[in-house]
Amino acid sequence: MGQPRALLAGSGIAVPPLEIDNDTLSRIIDTHDRWIRERSGIVTRFYVEPGTSSSDLGAEASRKALEDAGVEGDEVDYIVCATMTPDHYFPGAGTLIQQHLGLRPVPALDLRQQCAGFAYGLQTVDALIRSGIARTVLLVGCDVHTSLMPFSSRTWEVLHDESKGPLEPEDFEWNSRFRHLLVLFGDAAGAMVFKAHEVDDGRGILGARLYGDGSRSDILMVPGGGSRNRPFVTPEMIAGAGMVPVMDGRSVFKLAVTRMPKVTREVLEAYGYTLDELDLLVMHQANLRINEAAQKALKLPSEKVFNNIQKYGNTTSATLPLCFHEARQAGKAKEGSLVALTALGAGLHWGSVLMRV
Ligand code: ACO
C-alpha cells in the first residue's frame, strides 16, 4: 500500500428550526407556490433564528458527524470549512467551529468556492490525507443565507408570525425586486469526517475534476462589501441593494445543465469507471429542473440520483453533505458504493469528486 486514502467515517447535518413554505413567502414577496414549485421544485426551506451564524450550524453538523464516525474531538487534526456566508468579514468560520467544538488548536482552512465549496473541500481532504499531512479531517459546509436577505425588521416580524401583516407596500415592493433570488435559498450545514485508510480495497476519495473560470463571475456575485470599494461597505451601498447577490438565473441554469453532466462523465472516465458502475450521483441543489436535465443528459435512472432541494432549497456549501447524508440514511450510499458529488456555483467554480464509501 502506498499513500493512504481518505475514507468517509461519518456524516451529520444541521437544519435550523424555522420551516418556511412558499405560501409564507408570498406574504412578504410578490410570488406564489405554483411559480416556485414549477420553476425550481422548492416547497420549503429552513431559516435560522436571528443570532445563529454559519459557524453555529457548522459546529452542530460537525458534532453529529463526529458522533456518527465514533471519532473523539481530539483525534481531529485538520478542519476544512466551506462557506460563502462566514460569521464575519474575517476571520473565517473554520477556527470558530474549532472553538465551538472545544477542539485543541489544529489547522483550520476556509474555502470560498460558494456552491462548489464542498467539492473543493473533498479534493483538499484527499490531498491532506494522501500526503500524510493529516489523518483525521473534519470537512464542513455551512451557509446562513438569511444574512444576505435584504428584509426590513418589519418583514422579519411578519415572516416569523410576530406581526399579523400585511406588509406595507414599500416593503413588499422592495422584497419583490429580488423575488427570483430570495425564494431559492435556505440555511443549513453538513459535515463529514474522513480518516486515513491504509487498506488497499478501492474505498475512499478516488479523485476529482475541478474548474474555476472568472470570466463568468459577473453572473452570480455580491457587488458590494469587498476590497474594490473604499470603505468596503457604505449606507448608500446598502440602500442601493449592493449587498444583495446579483444573479443572472438563466445563464447559471444553462451552464449548470451542461457542465455538471460533462464534469461527472469526465471524473468517471479519468478514474476508469463507467456511468453504469456509478451507484449514486449527488448534485448541488440549486434547482430541481437543473438536476433533472443533468440526470437526463447522463441517462441515469432515478434510483441513482438523490435530490432534497424540495425540502431545503439551495443551501450553497451545505447542499452536497446534506443531500449525501440523507441519501446515506435512505440506504443509497452503502459501504462500497461508488458516489459522484458534482456542483457548480459562483466564481464560476464547478467540478465533480468521486468516492467509494
Ligand atoms: N415568483 C413569481 N414570479 C417570478 C419570480 C417569483 N419568485 N421570480 C421571477 N418571476 C417572474 C419574472 O419576473 C418573469 O416575469 P415576466 O416574464 O413577466 O418578466 C418570469 O417569472 C420569468 O423569470 P425568469 O427569471 O426568466 O425565470 P426562469 O425561468 O429563468 O427561472 C430561476 C428563474 C428559477 C432563478 C432559474 O433561472 C434558475 O434556477 N436559475 C439557476 C439559479 C442557480 O443555479 N443559482 C445558483 C445559485 S448558487 C449561489 O447563489 C451561490
Side-chain angles (χ1 to χ4, degrees):
M1 176 78 191
Q3 295 170 322
R5 281 262 163 85
L7 182 67
L8 181 81
S11 59
I13 61 173
V15 177
L18 302 170
E19 183 177 359
I20 305 289
D21 64 17
N22 295 339
D23 288 335
T24 304
L25 281 187
S26 66
R27 295 174 64 202
I28 58 155
I29 301 171
D30 181 15
T31 190
H32 48 91
D33 180 56
R34 215 178 99 204
W35 191 96
I36 303 172
R37 276 182 204 243
E38 281 180 6
R39 303 277 177 139
S40 73
I42 299 168
V43 181
T44 54
R45 74 286 289 142
F46 292 81
Y47 289 175
V48 295
E49 299 276 8
T52 301
S53 67
S54 293
S55 76
D56 294 325
L57 283 185
E60 189 187 330
S62 301
R63 272 187 211 101
K64 291 179 182 161
L66 288 166
E67 197 184 320
D68 183 48
V71 165
E72 294 296 329
D74 57 10
E75 284 178 58
V76 173
D77 52 19
Y78 218 111
I79 297 170
V80 180
C81 174
T83 181
M84 69 164 204
T85 51
D87 299 27
H88 309 289
Y89 189 67
F90 72 83
T95 50
L96 303 181
I97 291 173
Q98 174 263 345
Q99 185 207 4
H100 291 320
L101 295 174
L103 304 186
R104 68 198 159 95
V106 290
L109 184 66
D110 280 86
L111 299 179
R112 293 286 315 264
Q113 274 65 33
Q114 294 66 243
C115 300
F118 204 85
Y120 270 69
L122 287 165
Q123 189 188 51
T124 307
V125 171
D126 184 33
L128 289 170
I129 289 184
R130 274 186 204 249
S131 63
I133 289 173
R135 291 194 60 83
T136 305
V137 185
L138 172 63
L139 172 62
V140 193
C142 45
D143 269 299
V144 169
H145 273 285
T146 41
S147 63
L148 287 172
M149 293 179 183
F151 297 146
S152 63
S153 37
R154 173 93 179 114
T155 297
W156 284 116
E157 281 166 19
V158 172
L159 195 63
H160 293 332
D161 256 341
E162 288 156 9
S163 168
K164 276 234 165 304
L167 214 54
E168 286 72 15
E170 317 81 76
D171 270 356
F172 193 78
E173 204 179 300
W174 168 260
N175 300 341
S176 301
R177 261 179 73 178
F178 317 103
R179 62 181 180 169
H180 62 294
L181 190 74
L182 296 173
V183 299
L184 303 176
F185 295 100
D187 304 333
M192 292 183 184
V193 177
F194 288 90
K195 294 191 79 163
H197 183 60
E198 311 281 359
V199 185
D200 195 4
D201 58 2
R203 293 173 66 210
I205 299 176
L206 305 179
R209 281 292 177 273
L210 300 178
Y211 296 94
D213 178 5
S215 69
R216 306 309 307 274
S217 58
D218 58 326
I219 63 171
L220 192 51
M221 50 124 47
V222 179
S227 58
R228 191 168 289 286
N229 309 292
R230 190 179 294 175
F232 82 94
V233 65
T234 60
E236 294 74 33
M237 203 184 280
I238 296 170
M243 302 300 289
V244 183
V246 166
M247 182 181 78
D248 172 355
R250 291 208 167 179
S251 297
V252 180
F253 195 104
K254 279 189 205 149
L255 287 163
V257 296
T258 48
R259 293 197 183 176
M260 290 210 300
K262 187 165 181 269
V263 77
T264 305
R265 279 184 201 279
E266 223 178 278
V267 78
L268 282 163
E269 251 173 61
Y271 294 94
Y273 293 97
T274 63
L275 273 163
D276 283 345
E277 289 170 290
L278 187 68
D279 295 303
L280 177 68
L281 171 62
V282 172
M283 284 178 278
H284 173 52
Q285 306 286 300
N287 187 320
L288 190 59
R289 308 298 161 233
I290 292 177
N291 291 5
E292 286 167 348
Q295 177 186 338
K296 201 169 159 205
L298 291 169
K299 300 189 181 67
L300 281 173
S302 293
E303 60 273 16
K304 288 194 176 190
V305 180
F306 192 86
N307 293 304
N308 59 11
I309 186 171
Q310 302 91 326
K311 185 171 176 193
Y312 300 112
N314 181 350
T315 59
T316 299
S317 311
T319 59
L320 291 183
L322 187 60
C323 206
F324 174 84
H325 181 81
E326 291 201 335
R328 190 170 160 240
Q329 284 185 320
K332 288 175 178 282
K334 300 190 186 81
E335 188 175 313
S337 295
L338 185 66
V339 182
L341 298 112
T342 302
L344 176 138
L348 286 178
H349 297 282
W350 71 100
S352 185
V353 182
L354 200 58
M355 77 173 181
R356 198 175 278 288
V357 180

